[in-house]
Amino acid sequence: MPEGGGAASAGKADITLQIDPIALELIPNHFISTVGYNGTSPGPVLRMQEGKTISVDVINNTDATEYVHWHGLLIPSDVDGAEEEATPSVPPNGRRRYQITPKPAGTRWYHTHAMSMGDLHRGTFTGQFGFVVVEGANNPNQPGQFDQEVFLALRDWEPFFSSMAMDTDDAGQTGPKPEKPAVMDTRPNGLEVSSPMYSINDKALGAGAPIQVKPGDRVLMHILNASAIENKLIALPGHQFRIIALDGNAVPTPALAETLYIGPGERIDALVEMNQPGVWILGAPQDDIRNAGMGVVIEYANQHGEPKWVAPKNLAWDYTAFGRQGGSQPAPDQTIDMVFEKVPSGAGKFNLFTVNGKPYPHEKEFVLKKGARYRIVFHNRTDDDHPLHFHRHLFELVNINGKPTAGIMKDTVIVPIYGRATVDMVADQPGLTLFHCHIQQHMDFGFKALFSYE
Ligand SMILES: [Cu+2]
């Protein structure tokens, strides 16, 4: 097996991730063929100690070049896991050892960062993803605050191209559209990616074991949208989610929500008090998506019968509900405007996305000064909600569609359709830094930018 180079790989690493083709039995006797970590998808929950350096061996048993990205960790570019940041790859049928010092504490995740372009069997369309829990004093999820914790990765499978946008980005969004153009682009849309099958973790709704709970239990749910293609809605009839962390970072104002809206790349940590004995479906509010697998059964002790679904009354999702009311940020050193547009390509072709008028790459366009505070304004002039992600940095939400907030630290934010989001980012992680939409096809066709430090 060829060595990938990099750090010497003497002895066994603290963590070994093996990339292999796998078969996932989403529903009994129906297997789908994909690629996973250590024979499964999601891969193992990786627990790390904040600040404690560990070695990770990645063994790639496929014929594709791979990258393992540590999403939400503040680590150097050469181990972050992105080609654009010049992280050394894991060669086809090869291996490489990385050393990482995980921080900050909280719910993070790992996933492939390979490009897919027109190949729906590559990149985040595969099963290469899993949770990372960084343990530490500031982890918002301290033992004693919950009786049971569950990890719920939301996924879709067997993606296919279609000429229609089948997502539901408008479902929970009734807000203003400050970036809506006066004259709409009427050119015919290009290819979108859709999915006929859904799951939470590796089972479609009803195909796996129910989550067993007892009355009075406080269940800590770590929810991750590991989809390559779309934002997701999730509800649990009879119950409310108490949101305690977004993207693994404690929120200033833990508050209740009836429905979660979560973009690819985002994590939500929510406490659910189990106070409605019965058998329930936690799942997507859209009947077609839930019936195609997006859900899991929650079963109270000594309760039996068909799992019950009741449509939620309130689909609204508002990040600012969890922020510090009346708070503000220090004045920025500089403001950066980023304008996102879609160039519709017509039937059978891939749409192109531009950042400030140009698709990736941008020649030295975004250069940061170490220590400076940047106010970044995302102008979404497209007809989709986009989950926008910064590598290697946290940012603070400042404003969403005119609503100010403070204290919410994230690494990925959904910028609503024709909407505007403002975030503050302190440039405290020198090195190449990738910014992109976390919808794989958008990223691959232009929706990304590279930030560097001067
Ligand atoms: Cu996007």
Side-chain angles (χ1 to χ4, degrees):
M1 181 180 282
E3 277 292 317
S9 34
K12 192 170 164 7
D14 297 301
I15 291 171
T16 300
L17 286 180
Q18 192 162 308
I19 304 169
D20 284 303
I22 59 169
L24 270 190
E25 194 174 13
L26 283 190
I27 47 182
N29 300 313
H30 187 123
F31 292 83
I32 63 143
S33 164
T34 185
V35 180
Y37 292 128
N38 295 2
T40 65
S41 179
V45 175
L46 301 178
R47 291 188 183 268
M48 305 175 180
Q49 287 296 323
E50 183 178 29
K52 182 174 180 247
T53 302
I54 53 165
S55 54
V56 181
D57 273 347
V58 185
I59 301 169
N60 180 6
N61 294 327
T62 73
D63 56 8
T65 298
E66 276 299 344
Y67 295 88
V68 178
H69 170 50
W70 305 94
H71 186 129
L73 295 191
L74 312 180
I75 55 175
S77 313
D78 61 353
V79 290
D80 184 55
E83 182 179 12
E84 296 86 344
E85 297 173 348
T87 310
S89 67
V90 191
N93 297 299
R95 60 191 294 159
R96 189 179 293 277
R97 175 167 293 191
Y98 301 91
Q99 285 207 315
I100 60 176
T101 306
K103 64 170 186 174
T107 306
R108 316 292 165 202
W109 69 299
Y110 61 109
H111 63 85
T112 173
H113 218 285
M115 304 247 280
S116 306
M117 303 309 290
D119 185 347
L120 297 180
H121 299 280
R122 289 218 58 200
T124 52
F125 295 114
T126 69
Q128 294 174 76
F129 61 90
F131 282 91
V132 173
V133 177
V134 181
E135 313 274 13
N138 294 322
N139 189 337
N141 311 311
Q142 294 297 330
Q145 293 178 355
F146 54 89
D147 302 297
Q148 183 186 160
E149 67 181 327
V150 291
F151 292 87
L152 305 173
L154 315 181
R155 263 306 293 243
D156 30 64
W157 302 97
E158 309 286 54
F160 61 93
F161 290 117
S162 83
S163 54
M164 280 172 51
M166 293 169 77
D167 59 33
T168 47
D169 284 353
D170 268 340
Q173 309 287 318
T174 52
K177 295 188 166 67
E179 298 289 340
K180 191 167 184 175
V183 179
M184 302 298 284
D185 191 336
T186 54
R187 286 173 288 180
N189 196 24
L191 295 170
E192 305 271 353
V193 183
S194 299
S195 185
M197 299 181 73
Y198 295 83
S199 70
I200 292 184
N201 298 332
D202 59 348
K203 296 292 178 196
L205 173 59
I211 296 170
Q212 310 267 1
V213 301
K214 296 190 298 297
D217 271 0
R218 294 161 304 166
V219 177
L220 173 58
M221 298 186 177
H222 305 280
I223 297 148
L224 158 70
N225 184 344
S227 169
I229 66 174
E230 65 188 12
N231 303 308
K232 309 278 190 211
L233 291 159
I234 288 290
L236 174 57
H239 301 76
Q240 301 247 357
F241 300 95
R242 177 171 295 277
I243 312 301
I244 60 168
L246 294 174
D247 293 351
N249 310 305
V251 293
T253 311
L256 294 173
E258 185 177 3
T259 309
L260 308 178
Y261 185 51
I262 180 168
E266 289 190 299
R267 289 85 66 213
I268 296 175
D269 290 340
L271 275 172
V272 180
E273 207 175 300
M274 293 297 165
N275 50 17
Q276 292 286 341
V279 183
W280 301 96
I281 293 173
L282 179 152
Q286 308 97 319
D287 293 341
D288 53 341
I289 293 180
R290 191 179 63 259
N291 292 334
M294 177 55 69
V296 63
V297 174
I298 307 239
E299 188 180 276
Y300 281 72
N302 304 315
Q303 297 285 323
H304 306 282
E306 280 298 300
K308 192 170 169 191
W309 172 258
V310 183
K313 287 189 194 69
N314 185 4
L315 295 179
W317 176 251
D318 178 2
Y319 289 123
T320 67
F322 317 109
R324 196 166 54 241
Q325 312 304 324
S328 63
Q329 292 79 16
D333 299 296
Q334 194 189 326
T335 297
I336 298 175
D337 282 286
M338 301 183 80
V339 176
F340 310 115
E341 288 167 298
K342 180 169 99 172
V343 183
S345 60
K349 300 199 199 70
F350 299 105
N351 297 315
L352 191 67
F353 289 86
T354 61
V355 179
N356 294 351
K358 295 185 291 291
Y360 184 86
H362 308 88
E363 199 58 43
K364 281 271 174 199
E365 195 165 356
F366 301 102
V367 182
L368 306 174
K369 193 190 201 102
K370 184 169 187 263
R373 170 180 284 267
Y374 292 90
R375 183 149 298 166
I376 305 172
V377 187
F378 300 131
H379 303 265
N380 177 7
R381 296 194 184 146
T382 80
D383 56 356
D384 261 325
D385 291 3
H386 296 281
L388 304 187
H389 171 47
F390 263 108
H391 282 227
R392 309 180 49 249
H393 292 73
L394 292 177
F395 51 75
E396 180 180 355
L397 286 193
V398 172
N399 194 297
I400 297 260
N401 275 347
K403 246 184 157 173
T405 188
I408 299 175
M409 303 304 297
K410 292 181 65 53
D411 54 56
T412 307
V413 61
I414 299 175
V415 185
I417 174 170
Y418 296 124
R420 189 183 304 155
T422 304
V423 305
D424 269 13
M425 193 170 87
V426 175
D428 52 5
Q429 301 291 331
L432 293 173
T433 298
L434 187 62
F435 162 86
H436 62 91
C437 178
H438 220 284
I439 292 174
Q440 178 89 43
Q441 195 192 9
H442 299 176
M443 171 174 76
D444 288 349
F445 290 93
F447 206 148
K448 59 181 170 175
L450 196 59
F451 284 65
S452 60
Y453 281 69
E454 64 177 32

